[in-house]
Amino acid sequence: MASHISAYGSATLQYNGMQTALMAQMAIGSTAVSESYMARFTSVTPGSSSAQTLEGLWWARDPGIDGFIALSNTAVQARSVTLQALTAAGQVQPAQSFTLPPHTSQLIDLISLLGRQPNAGDAGGLRIQFTGLLGEVNVTGGLENRQEGYSAMIPFWQAPMAGMSTSSTPATIAHPGIMVGAADPMMGFPAGTRFTPYLALRNLTANAEQVNVTLYTEQGTALSTPVQSLQPFESRQVDVNSVLKQVGLNGFNGSLTLTVSHSGGVSDVMSAAGSVDAKGTYVFEVDGRAAEQRLSKQSPYWSVKSGNGTMISLWNPSGNPEDVMVTLKYTGGSGVYHFHVHLAPYATANVDVKELIANQSADAVGNVLPLSVQEGSFVFQSAMGVNAPLSLNVNVGIFNAVKGTCYYGTVECDGYYSYLLVEPSTFSLPVGGGPEELTAYGQYSDGTTPEVTAS
């Protein structure tokens, strides 16, 4: 690509097989200015063309923040796109509209869209609308301050669907493994590096939202913080330093799991959280995901190559203990390594992959992580089996303390990809008669066909 004349563009991966057979992410970085971003590969959702709305959240750490929004049209037809900025109070700013020809990309400067340079502490929204299939217009955004080497992803979510029923159980988004205070010496950061958490919120609904922010220690102790009252469509930055003082964690060194809970749908309130050092050079973003019981999860990449390090944070969002089996797969499929993690209720475990390799401990079947292994992927599952229910939130952070690059790894939820059969296929039960035992077979994300029996 050295002779390619384009300064930006898009990439497409095509393959034959199950829809769940491939995971991918793209890292974009510059060691010269210590910036790094992560772009997801997303699929196009089949169906009929309809109006699509994507909502974003931006925030300004300091007065020197700039940013970008990148739009790529994956369709074979042109797509008309409307892009709007929203103020902290949710007021919609003048729209920019343009046409994206097939398979083309466009880069928009955040400052030109906002119409001003943000002040430190500002926050606001972004809204992207088009007509087509979900995923046909792929969106990536980033915040940056090149003088500091600061960079962070702008999250984009699908807008909440109108008329979705509310649940009696609060919806919770979890950000596990947020670093606070002095950096762990094992991670290789310069002496004196300290991390401060950050949190930005945006209400995506026309209703006021009462948002509860809770901090969990690694041992599972919950620390409730003052309620954040968000007006309709409001965006704000939360002063996490003040919050830490209010809950008695002033001077704390370690890691915390941060949760954002509210009534309504899980996508009604956006959150962006992580940690940043005083200079803004190192930004550890912690992607937010729903705290709920699901099945296994996967992440496509870890690295200890060329000075990289990889940290994983595992949080148990339930009131029951969980036993988690983590599998490291090596590049090229050359081997696997399993290790068991026991999580008390609401507890967090942090694992350094470089340290795991250095330990040279054998797993339950005798596998040892070779010292030569530098890259691979993760599977996170219940110790009872890959398709057993599991309450677990995961964060994967890949960083380089020398180059000043940090980005999070995508984490995808596994599940049943297709229905195969139920035995017996037909049956009848007399009124008042006994139960019938059924056996169901479905194809799981990893290609296996586990059996489930029920009466």
Side-chain angles (χ1 to χ4, degrees), residues 295-417:
L295 302 175
S296 63
K297 306 173 189 293
Q298 295 195 52
S299 187
Y301 190 61
W302 60 262
S303 170
V304 295
K305 183 179 180 179
S306 303
N308 287 341
T310 298
M311 290 286 295
I312 58 172
S313 297
L314 310 172
W315 180 62
N316 177 6
S318 78
N320 300 310
E322 286 285 3
D323 286 283
V324 183
M325 186 63 70
V326 181
T327 301
L328 276 74
K329 298 183 178 181
Y330 316 156
T331 298
S334 57
V336 296
Y337 181 80
H338 310 280
F339 66 97
H340 174 267
V341 179
H342 177 78
L343 292 173
Y346 305 108
T348 305
N350 297 297
V351 180
D352 185 329
V353 173
K354 189 175 291 187
E355 186 177 348
L356 199 65
I357 295 174
N359 285 342
Q360 289 293 283
S361 299
D363 66 13
V365 294
N367 297 323
V368 175
L369 274 166
L371 294 172
S372 59
V373 168
Q374 296 185 312
E375 298 172 301
S377 62
F378 291 114
V379 176
F380 308 95
Q381 67 181 68
S382 166
M384 301 299 292
V386 70
N387 60 323
L390 176 66
S391 296
L392 180 69
N393 280 74
V394 179
N395 179 62
V396 177
I398 305 168
F399 63 94
N400 192 306
V402 175
K403 298 176 181 178
T405 56
C406 310
Y407 60 94
Y408 62 83
T410 58
V411 176
E412 302 291 342
C413 292
D414 291 338
Y416 286 93
Y417 167 68

Side-chain angles (χ1 to χ4, degrees), residues 7-19:
Y8 62 89
S10 63
T12 299
L13 296 175
Q14 294 177 308
Y15 61 95
N16 294 321
M18 294 191 307
Q19 184 179 344

Side-chain angles (χ1 to χ4, degrees), residues 55 58 82-97 109-118 122-129 202 233 235:
E55 301 283 2
W58 64 265
T82 299
L83 179 58
Q84 293 173 291
L86 289 84
T87 66
Q91 298 169 329
V92 180
Q93 302 301 290
Q96 290 187 18
S97 298
D109 180 72
L110 179 64
I111 302 302
S112 65
L113 181 65
L114 300 180
R116 65 177 181 87
Q117 179 70 47
D122 285 355
L126 297 167
R127 181 171 294 155
I128 296 171
Q129 295 177 304
R202 183 182 169 209
F233 303 111
S235 301

Side-chain angles (χ1 to χ4, degrees), residues 275-298:
S275 303
V276 59
D277 73 311
K279 295 180 179 179
T281 303
Y282 304 110
V283 186
F284 272 83
E285 301 174 80
V286 180
D287 200 17
R289 299 178 184 88
E292 58 189 0
Q293 187 181 75
R294 296 289 291 268
L295 302 175
S296 63
K297 306 173 189 293
Q298 295 195 52

